[in-house]
């Protein structure tokens, strides 16, 4: 005859009894819920290292059985909060990429899966306006995505009359202005694309100046200001190297050739290719130079609403009615 298992002891021993302070806390919470001043408290699911289940033995008795619950795999860096912004994720890009194999294919996959559409590259062509054509104004803007596909390419009518088309460098001619759109319209369309994006470009401050726009520094990747590119090309680290030179040394292709001027589409695509070439190392360096992150609202004691359940925050009459 199989002996019956002894009935389990009560889980509530002396050590498990709630303290008086906790009882007051629960009574006040119940009072607030009754008055409609606090939403009902929901029991949180078991997420600890152990979870208990009830087993029924052959004799009809029950017993508790605890087992280990495997922790879910982390998809994002543990140093980021669940509500991390796109630029914060970009800052910790090196941590995310370290979960892969480190190859260029792995880099591209990680970026696209975690932040689809968050990378764009831009290039603008300018013409001369004002006295003697010395003032630069936007005449064409091209934007490409992470894969180099064109998502924007339009000619733009400057706000002032054009004095110098600068065709040798800009590739802009008078006939292009027949299909140009007003600057204000183009500016609105372009800034809508750039919003919340990681923007790549070469000497990109010139493009932002032509757009009369300032993009957040931590979301800007200027290929003319990254020493690792110069180092890989065998050029002086602190030198300001042209996009054409970097493309020839690192991508083994010739751009900006001939007398018809530059192509803003080609230049934007080249800048994105250069960025992807050193993406892992670049983002790693950026992550090392980040300022300390502010404390999370979840763990910051100053924002914990439970502190207001303490005695000193309760009126005497309300305390008397709740006890």
């Amino acid at each position: 005859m199989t002996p019956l298992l002894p009935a389990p002891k009560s889980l509530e021993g002396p050590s498990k009894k709630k303290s008086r302070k906790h009882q007051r806390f629960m009574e006040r919470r119940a009072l607030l819920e009754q008055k409609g001043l606090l939403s009902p408290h929901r029991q949180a699911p078991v997420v600890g290292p152990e979870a208990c289940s009830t087993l029924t033995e052959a004799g009809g008795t029950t017993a508790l059985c605890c087992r280990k619950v495997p922790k879910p795999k982390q998809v994002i860096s543990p140093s980021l909060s669940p509500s991390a912004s796109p630029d914060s994720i970009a800052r910790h890009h090196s941590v995310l990429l370290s979960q892969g194999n480190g190859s260029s294919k792995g880099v591209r996959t990680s970026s696209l899966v975690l932040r689809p559409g968050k990378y764009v590259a831009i290039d603008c062509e300018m013409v001369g306006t004002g006295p003697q054509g010395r003032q630069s104004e936007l005449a064409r803007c091209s934007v490409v995505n992470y894969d180099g596909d064109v998502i924007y390419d339009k000619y733009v009518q400057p706000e002032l009359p054009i004095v110098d088309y600068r065709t040798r460098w800009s590739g802009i001619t008078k006939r292009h202005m027949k299909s140009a759109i007003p600057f204000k319209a183009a500016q609105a369309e372009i800034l809508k694309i750039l919003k919340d994006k990681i923007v790549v470009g070469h000497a990109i401050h010139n493009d932002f100046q032509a757009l009369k726009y300032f993009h957040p520094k931590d979301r800007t990747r200027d290929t003319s200001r990254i020493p690792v590119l110069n180092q890989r090309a065998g050029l002086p680290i602190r030198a300001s190297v042209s996009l054409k030179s970097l493309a020839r040394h690192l991508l083994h292709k010739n751009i900006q050739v001939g007398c018809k001027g530059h192509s803003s589409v080609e230049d934007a695509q080249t800048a994105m290719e250069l960025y992807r070439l050193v993406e892992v190392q670049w983002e790693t360096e950026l992550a090392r130079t980040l300022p300390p992150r502010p404390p999370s609202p979840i763990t910051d004691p100053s924002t914990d609403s439970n502190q207001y359940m303490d005695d000193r925050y309760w009126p005497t009459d309300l305390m008397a009615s709740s006890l």
Side-chain angles (χ1 to χ4, degrees), residues 105-291:
K105 183 177 180 181
V107 171
R108 296 171 187 177
T109 302
S110 299
S111 301
L112 292 173
V113 169
L114 293 170
R115 288 171 287 128
K118 289 301 178 184
Y119 284 113
V120 295
I122 188 173
D123 188 76
C124 298
E125 301 297 344
M126 277 74 81
V127 294
T129 62
Q132 301 180 356
R134 292 180 177 177
Q135 182 175 334
S136 295
E137 286 199 52
L138 181 67
R140 183 185 180 185
C141 181
S142 302
V143 183
V144 302
N145 63 14
Y146 187 84
D147 290 320
D149 301 323
V150 178
I151 57 178
Y152 188 90
D153 183 32
K154 290 185 180 182
Y155 290 98
V156 182
Q157 183 67 52
E159 295 180 303
L160 297 177
I162 300 176
V163 177
D164 185 358
Y165 283 92
R166 304 177 184 174
T167 305
R168 180 181 175 184
W169 297 278
S170 67
I172 305 294
T173 61
K174 187 175 182 179
R175 66 181 179 86
H176 292 134
M177 291 298 102
K178 294 179 180 179
S179 59
I181 65 174
F183 171 78
K184 290 295 184 182
Q187 183 189 47
E189 293 173 352
I190 298 165
L191 298 193
K192 186 176 180 180
I193 296 174
L194 301 187
K195 183 181 180 182
D196 296 329
K197 298 293 194 301
I198 309 298
V199 184
V200 181
H202 194 82
I204 200 170
H205 60 281
N206 293 324
D207 302 307
F208 291 153
Q209 185 176 0
L211 286 167
K212 299 180 180 179
Y213 168 70
F214 174 79
H215 196 69
K217 185 177 180 180
D218 58 354
R219 300 184 193 180
T220 302
R221 305 293 184 266
D222 191 341
T223 54
S224 71
R225 296 178 178 272
I226 176 65
V228 65
L229 280 173
N230 294 10
Q231 186 177 10
R232 293 189 63 164
L235 300 170
I237 294 179
R238 299 299 176 185
S240 179
V241 184
S242 67
L243 183 66
K244 181 175 182 178
S245 181
L246 288 174
R248 184 174 66 253
H249 282 87
L250 298 175
L251 304 177
H252 308 291
K253 71 175 187 178
N254 294 320
I255 63 172
Q256 302 174 356
V257 294
C259 57
K260 294 184 178 180
H262 301 177
S263 166
S264 52
V265 170
E266 183 181 51
D267 289 353
Q269 291 171 335
T270 301
M272 182 61 81
E273 286 184 68
L274 290 170
Y275 169 77
R276 292 174 62 170
L277 190 65
V278 295
E279 181 178 8
V280 178
Q281 188 173 354
W282 194 347
E283 297 296 340
T284 301
E285 292 297 327
L286 288 177
R288 290 173 182 170
T289 59
L290 289 177

